[in-house]
Amino acid sequence: MSYRLFCVKIIGTFDKPVFNFLDQHTNLSFDEAVERCRENGFMYPGSFKDELESQGVEVMETLIDTAPLQNKWRQENNLPLSDMFDKNDTFFAQIKKFKPDVVYFQTFFALAPEVRKWIRKECPSVRLVVGHRGFPLDDAAGYEDVDAVFLGYPKHHDVWHKVGVKTFNSLHAFDADLLPAIQQKVREIEPINFSFIGHTGWGSGPHDGRYFDMRKMMDELPLTVYGHEPNKPIPVIGGLSPDVRVRLRQSFLEASKYAPQMSLKALHKIGRVLDMPVLVRAVEATMRRKKFGPDPVPPKMEDCWWYHVSPIGSLYPDRFRPSRFGLDYLALLAASKLTWNRHQDTPGSGANMRLFEACGVGTCQLVDAREEVVACYEPGVEIVTYDSIEDCLEKARWLLNNPVEREKIAKAGQRRTLKDHTTRHRVQDIHNHLVDLLRDLDSIHSIAAASEPYVKLG
C-alpha cells in the first residue's frame, strides 16, 4: 500500500553544530542539505526515510526547528523570508504543498500542542497524525488529536488509551547504515578508557539519579564525561535569578494581546544578535500565543532539584568535555573502551537510545539493570548490568582491568544489535502498523459511503 508521509524532526539543543554545518554548505539545495544532515547523523534515525521508501512510501522529512534549512525550502518555493524565523508557518506551508496522508513526529516536542491541533484544519489531505515517544509520560491529556503513538517503553500505554490514542511498541534503535562513517571518524580520535556521553542530569527533572550517581563515579573512577548541560547564564538576562527569568517569560505571554507585531519582531532580532536565548524563546512563545492560544505554564525554577546544586561541568572541569552530536557523538562512543549508561528513575523507562547506540558501535556498555534492558540484551554476555552504585563501581573496575573479557562483551552486544535492533527492524513494524491504520480508515469510509441515507417518512 502506497501513502505519503511527512516526517517531522528537530535538532533541539544541538542547533549550533548543525547551523555551523549548514553555513558551510550554503550552495546545497534543500534536498541535498537534508541528505547531508542524514549522512552526518543529525536526523535520528537517519535511514528512516530510505527504509520507508523501500516499502513504496513517498517520504518528505525535515528538521523543523532549523532556520537555515527551512529557509532554503522557502526560497526554493518562492516564499518570503523574515528576520524572525517562524517554524510553524514554514511547517504548514510544507505540508500544504506535499499533501501527506500521514504526519509522523519523531518527537512531539517539534510543535506546541496548540499548533499541532491545527494540522487537519490547514491540510485536509492528512488522514493520520502519529509519532514516536521515547520516554514515559504521566498524563497524555492534550494529545487527543493524535491517532497513534509508537512507544519506546512497553509499560506505559494506559495513559494514552485514557485519551483515546492507539499505541504500539517501538523501541529505540541503532542506525547501522552509519557504521562505515563512524568507523572512519574513530580513526581520528584518541581511545577513551571510560566515558559517559550525553545529558548529565543537571537541569533535567527526571534525571536526578543519574546526576548524583555520576558524582560518585567521578569521585572514585577515571570517568570522562562528554556532557550536555543547560547553558550557563549570560550577561543581562543571565544576571537575573532563574525564577525572575521565568517571570520575564510569563510577562511576555501576558503582554501578547497588547504588544504590536513589529515590536515583537524587533525584540526577537535583538535576542538573536545579542545571543540571548531566554529572550528569543519568550518572544517566540508570545507570538505562538497570539496565533494559536496559550502555552502550558512552565514550572517554577525553585521547585526543581537541580536549582540547588552545581552542574557537573563546574564540579569536575578537568574531566568534563562538551557533548557531541551526530557522527561525532557516535564516534566518541565507538572510541570508548567502556561506556556508562544510566536511565532516568521513572519506572518502565529502560532501553534509552544510548543502550542501542553504544552496543551498535561495538563498545562495552555498563548499564543499570532494568527489565526493558535485559529484554533486549543478555547481561554478562552482551552488556554488563549493575543493581546499585556500589555494584557499578565494582564492575567498572573489573571491566577496566580485564580487556579481553570486555572486548568479548562489546562484540557480542554489537552482533545482537545488528541482528535485532536496527532502524530497519523498527521501520518495518511502523510501516505495517500505518498500513493497517490507513486500511481501517478506508473500511470505515467505504461502509459510510455504502450506507443508505436516512429518510424520515410520513
Side-chain angles (χ1 to χ4, degrees):
M1 180 182 185
S2 179
Y3 56 91
R4 296 167 68 85
L5 181 143
F6 185 89
C7 184
V8 185
K9 299 182 178 181
I10 64 170
I11 290 301
T13 54
F14 291 97
D15 56 349
K16 288 186 178 179
V18 181
F19 281 25
N20 291 339
F21 170 80
L22 291 171
D23 286 344
Q24 296 168 14
H25 298 86
T26 55
N27 59 316
L28 299 177
S29 69
F30 172 81
D31 289 338
E32 290 169 337
V34 170
E35 185 57 34
R36 293 287 181 87
C37 286
R38 288 192 198 98
E39 293 169 357
N40 281 270
F42 297 155
M43 300 190 73
Y44 173 85
S47 57
F48 183 89
K49 180 175 185 286
D50 289 343
E51 297 296 344
L52 271 180
E53 287 180 338
S54 71
Q55 303 293 326
V57 183
E58 295 181 63
V59 181
M60 176 179 175
E61 61 180 358
T62 190
L63 297 167
I64 190 176
D65 59 343
T66 309
L69 182 64
Q70 293 293 76
N71 281 334
K72 282 180 180 291
W73 186 89
R74 294 186 70 90
Q75 287 178 310
E76 292 172 10
N77 289 272
N78 301 314
L79 293 176
L81 301 182
S82 169
D83 289 337
M84 179 174 171
F85 170 65
D86 186 338
K87 71 174 183 179
N88 301 327
D89 180 66
T90 306
F91 165 76
F92 285 122
Q94 287 174 325
I95 62 171
K96 286 177 184 176
K97 183 175 178 62
F98 185 63
K99 295 182 173 58
D101 301 287
V102 180
V103 175
Y104 181 97
F105 288 90
Q106 185 58 42
T107 170
F108 286 105
F109 293 139
L111 286 181
E114 66 274 11
V115 180
R116 190 188 63 241
K117 292 172 183 178
W118 280 53
I119 289 175
R120 287 184 174 89
K121 297 177 186 176
E122 295 288 326
C123 187
S125 74
V126 175
R127 305 173 66 199
L128 292 173
V129 175
V130 301
H132 188 267
R133 174 83 184 187
F135 52 92
L137 182 69
D138 293 330
D139 184 358
Y143 287 89
E144 292 84 358
D145 60 299
V146 175
D147 297 294
V149 177
F150 298 89
L151 300 182
Y153 44 93
K155 289 190 172 181
H156 290 259
H157 292 241
D158 289 347
V159 294
W160 297 93
H161 298 166
K162 287 177 182 177
V163 298
V165 179
K166 291 179 181 291
T167 57
F168 304 100
N169 284 331
S170 184
L171 295 174
H172 287 295
F174 173 62
D175 204 341
D177 288 357
L178 293 175
L179 258 180
I182 295 167
Q183 292 164 349
Q184 176 63 37
K185 271 192 170 291
V186 169
R187 299 186 185 101
E188 306 166 5
I189 300 175
E190 289 292 326
I192 305 163
N193 285 328
F194 188 22
S195 72
F196 173 85
I197 309 168
H199 202 303
T200 67
W202 189 86
S204 174
H207 287 95
D208 55 334
R210 178 186 295 174
Y211 169 85
F212 290 105
D213 281 356
M214 186 176 295
R215 289 180 60 168
K216 292 178 182 178
M217 295 282 283
M218 297 193 77
D219 284 341
E220 299 199 28
L221 292 172
L223 177 67
T224 301
V225 171
Y226 295 82
H228 171 67
E229 294 182 324
N231 292 331
K232 301 292 189 300
I234 52 176
V236 184
I237 295 295
L240 305 175
S241 66
D243 58 326
V244 171
R245 295 203 296 273
V246 169
R247 291 189 193 117
L248 173 65
R249 181 179 182 275
Q250 290 173 329
S251 69
F252 271 106
L253 294 174
E254 290 302 317
S256 64
K257 51 188 156 187
Y258 307 112
Q261 192 90 345
M262 291 302 296
S263 299
L264 289 171
K265 288 183 177 180
L267 282 172
H268 191 272
K269 188 168 186 177
I270 290 170
R272 289 175 59 199
V273 170
L274 298 181
D275 193 19
M276 297 163 61
V278 174
L279 177 60
V280 170
R281 288 196 297 270
V283 174
E284 289 174 348
T286 302
M287 297 292 286
R288 271 202 316 274
R289 176 168 182 159
K290 288 175 73 70
K291 186 170 183 179
F292 299 106
D295 281 345
V297 178
K300 294 180 180 179
M301 289 290 185
E302 60 267 28
D303 293 337
C304 300
W305 65 266
W306 47 267
Y307 175 69
H308 306 281
V309 295
S310 299
I312 294 292
S314 65
L315 294 173
Y316 306 91
D318 57 326
R319 285 181 288 138
F320 184 87
R321 312 282 186 272
S323 190
R324 295 291 186 266
F325 185 58
L327 281 181
D328 290 335
Y329 154 71
L330 294 168
L332 284 178
L333 274 180
S336 302
K337 298 175 183 177
L338 175 66
T339 197
W340 178 53
N341 187 6
R342 209 289 193 182
H343 292 83
Q344 61 172 271
D345 291 320
T346 308
S349 63
N352 59 14
M353 290 168 62
R354 196 176 301 106
L355 175 71
F356 303 102
E357 291 166 336
C359 287
V361 299
T363 295
C364 183
Q365 181 175 180
L366 177 61
V367 57
D368 51 327
R370 296 295 186 96
E371 185 177 341
E372 300 81 15
V373 170
V374 300
C376 298
Y377 294 97
E378 184 177 352
V381 177
E382 298 165 335
I383 54 171
V384 178
T385 60
Y386 64 90
D387 299 313
S388 66
I389 188 61
E390 291 75 20
D391 187 34
C392 180
L393 292 167
E394 181 181 345
K395 287 178 176 175
R397 293 187 183 101
W398 187 88
L399 288 165
L400 289 170
N401 291 324
N402 290 273
V404 175
E405 290 83 356
R406 185 183 66 224
E407 183 66 19
K408 183 178 178 181
I409 292 168
K411 289 180 178 178
Q414 186 178 45
R415 284 195 299 270
R416 179 65 178 274
T417 304
L418 299 180
K419 175 178 175 289
D420 294 329
H421 302 302
T422 68
T423 302
R424 177 168 298 173
H425 295 101
R426 306 296 186 253
V427 171
Q428 182 62 64
D429 288 340
I430 290 169
H431 170 66
N432 291 341
H433 288 308
L434 290 177
V435 168
D436 289 343
L437 290 171
L438 290 168
R439 283 177 175 159
D440 287 346
L441 287 176
D442 287 339
S443 298
I444 292 170
H445 294 155
S446 297
I447 292 170
S451 300
E452 291 291 335
Y454 173 72
V455 179
K456 186 175 181 179
L457 302 176

